[in-house]
Amino acid sequence: MQASRTSATETTGTITCLKQYGARRTGTNYVRALLLANYPEVLPLMHVLGDKHSPPVDFDRILQMSLAASDPDFEFVRATTLAAPAESTRPHDGRQIAYLRKTAKQVAASVRTGRLGFAVSSKNPYAWAASLARYSGWTFFFLTGRRIKPSCRDLLATACLEYNRNYRAWLDLAARFPSRSLLIRHEDLVEDAPGVLENLERRFGLSRLHPEFRLIAGNAEPAIWDDSEPALGKSNFNPTFYRKRHYMKQLSAGLREVVEENIDWPIAAELGYTKDSR
C-alpha cells in the first residue's frame, strides 16, 4: 500500500471505519462481534477493501484510478474489494453490491482523510496451527491423540509461509500508521477482553454504547461477508484450553516440526511469540 499526501498523514479523532486483518483462526470474527456489540458508530471491514486474510491492497493507486468514474466513492470501494477478493466475495452478488453502495461514501472518506483504522489479529503460531489443522480437517484421532494427516503436511507448511508473508505485510502497515493501528493478540483477548476494548477506545477514540462492556460468551463463528450479522455458537468459549496451553497436546511431533521449521520466528517475535523450548 503506497502512501499519498492524504493517506500517509497521521490524524487524530474518532475512527469510524476499521479494516481488519489477521490469519484464519486468530479471532477476527470475535473481534468484529465485540466491536458491533459495544461501538455502534464503528464500521468493521472484513472483506470490504480486500480480504482480511490477505496483504493490504494499494489503496492510493485505486483511489487515483477511481477519480474518473461517475461515482468515484463506489468505484474505489468496489475495485479495492475485488483487488484482493475473499473466498466469499462475489463481484455480481446483488446484496454485496448494495452493501458496497450503502457504505462507499463513509469508507472512501475514511481512506482519503487518513482516518481508516487497522486492527491486526494474531495468535501464537502453535495454537494457530492446531486450530487451523483441526478446522481444515487436516488431523485425525489416534490412540495417542490427535495427529496430522501425512498428506496434509505440505498444506500446513504452505499455510505457515502465508502466515509469514501476511504478518510481514500487516506489521509493515502498522509501522507506517502507528497512531491508527492496533495489534490484537488472541491471548490478550482470552485473558482480558475488557482491557483489549479499552485499548481500542484509546487508540481509535471510540465511545462505548453502554457503561459496562458487552462481552461475547459464545464462540464467534465465521461470518459469510460484511453484510452478515456475527454468527455466535451456542456453546460458551472455554478459555482454559488456551490458558493451560492444552493446544500443545494436540500437536503431534509431525505437526510441531512443520510449524517450527516453517514459521519465521523473528516475525513471530514482533507479535510477541517465541519458539517453544520444550
Side-chain angles (χ1 to χ4, degrees), residues 17 45 67 71 73 75 87 92 96 165 167 226 253 258:
C17 294
L45 305 176
L67 292 176
D71 187 344
D73 290 347
E75 177 57 23
E87 292 179 357
H92 305 295
Q96 292 186 10
R165 178 200 65 180
Y167 277 104
D226 293 65
V258 170

Side-chain angles (χ1 to χ4, degrees), residues 204-224:
F204 301 125
L206 308 183
S207 298
R208 72 185 73 158
L209 180 62
H210 303 283
E212 299 295 327
F213 288 120
R214 289 191 169 182
L215 302 180
I216 308 298
N219 291 299
E221 304 296 334
I224 297 176

Side-chain angles (χ1 to χ4, degrees), residues 122-193:
S122 71
K123 195 180 209 176
N124 181 293
Y126 294 103
W128 162 78
S131 295
L132 182 66
R134 185 173 62 250
Y135 178 78
S136 303
W138 296 346
T139 59
F140 65 97
F141 280 108
F142 194 64
L143 295 177
T144 55
R146 187 180 290 273
R147 293 184 178 180
I148 188 169
K149 297 175 183 177
S151 61
C152 295
R153 289 176 61 96
D154 289 345
L155 294 175
L156 181 58
T158 298
C160 288
L161 298 180
E162 290 178 354
Y163 182 104
N164 301 335
R165 178 200 65 180
N166 291 343
Y167 277 104
R168 179 70 277 148
W170 297 328
L171 285 167
D172 289 346
L173 176 71
R176 289 179 56 216
F177 305 108
S179 72
R180 50 190 174 102
S181 300
L182 186 68
L183 174 66
I184 303 176
R185 299 183 351 136
H186 185 267
E187 297 75 22
D188 298 330
L189 278 172
V190 170
E191 291 299 328
D192 185 16

Side-chain angles (χ1 to χ4, degrees), residues 4-278:
S4 72
R5 285 178 294 178
T6 53
S7 62
T9 302
E10 289 297 321
T11 63
T12 58
T14 299
I15 297 293
T16 58
C17 294
L18 195 58
K19 183 70 184 91
Q20 289 189 269
Y21 293 112
R24 289 177 172 82
R25 316 308 298 167
T26 59
T28 56
N29 291 293
Y30 186 72
V31 170
R32 178 174 181 256
L34 283 175
L35 286 167
L36 292 174
N38 289 279
Y39 309 105
E41 83 277 15
V42 174
L43 181 63
L45 305 176
M46 291 194 307
H47 303 313
V48 171
L49 297 188
D51 176 26
K52 66 179 178 178
H53 302 309
S54 298
V57 174
D58 187 343
F59 295 158
D60 293 334
R61 180 182 63 83
I62 300 176
L63 269 177
Q64 293 300 315
M65 293 174 57
S66 303
L67 292 176
S70 59
D71 187 344
D73 290 347
F74 171 71
E75 177 57 23
F76 164 70
V77 175
R78 185 199 68 82
T80 306
T81 300
L82 296 181
E87 292 179 357
S88 58
T89 297
R90 302 288 182 264
H92 305 295
D93 183 277
R95 287 184 57 180
Q96 292 186 10
I97 292 172
Y99 186 82
L100 293 178
R101 288 194 182 279
K102 177 182 176 181
T103 59
K105 183 176 181 179
Q106 180 184 8
V107 173
S110 72
V111 175
R112 288 196 179 96
T113 60
R115 295 166 67 90
L116 176 66
F118 304 104
V120 180
S121 294
S122 71
K123 195 180 209 176
N124 181 293
Y126 294 103
W128 162 78
S131 295
L132 182 66
R134 185 173 62 250
Y135 178 78
S136 303
W138 296 346
T139 59
F140 65 97
F141 280 108
F142 194 64
L143 295 177
T144 55
R146 187 180 290 273
R147 293 184 178 180
I148 188 169
K149 297 175 183 177
S151 61
C152 295
R153 289 176 61 96
D154 289 345
L155 294 175
L156 181 58
T158 298
C160 288
L161 298 180
E162 290 178 354
Y163 182 104
N164 301 335
R165 178 200 65 180
N166 291 343
Y167 277 104
R168 179 70 277 148
W170 297 328
L171 285 167
D172 289 346
L173 176 71
R176 289 179 56 216
F177 305 108
S179 72
R180 50 190 174 102
S181 300
L182 186 68
L183 174 66
I184 303 176
R185 299 183 351 136
H186 185 267
E187 297 75 22
D188 298 330
L189 278 172
V190 170
E191 291 299 328
D192 185 16
V196 171
L197 290 172
E198 289 173 352
N199 287 339
L200 282 162
E201 290 178 355
R202 286 191 293 268
R203 180 58 52 90
F204 301 125
L206 308 183
S207 298
R208 72 185 73 158
L209 180 62
H210 303 283
E212 299 295 327
F213 288 120
R214 289 191 169 182
L215 302 180
I216 308 298
N219 291 299
E221 304 296 334
I224 297 176
W225 210 69
D226 293 65
D227 60 343
S228 306
E229 293 294 324
L232 302 179
K234 295 181 179 179
S235 60
N236 287 347
F237 175 75
N238 180 15
T240 302
F241 179 81
Y242 292 100
R243 287 173 178 164
K244 300 295 185 180
R245 289 166 51 89
H246 289 171
Y247 54 82
M248 296 299 288
K249 299 177 183 178
Q250 293 189 353
L251 298 178
S252 67
L255 189 154
R256 184 167 180 160
E257 180 183 31
V258 170
V259 172
E260 294 185 342
E261 290 183 355
N262 290 280
I263 287 292
D264 188 324
W265 290 100
I267 291 177
E270 293 184 52
L271 300 168
Y273 307 123
T274 59
K275 183 183 294 189
D276 194 78
S277 61
R278 305 201 184 194

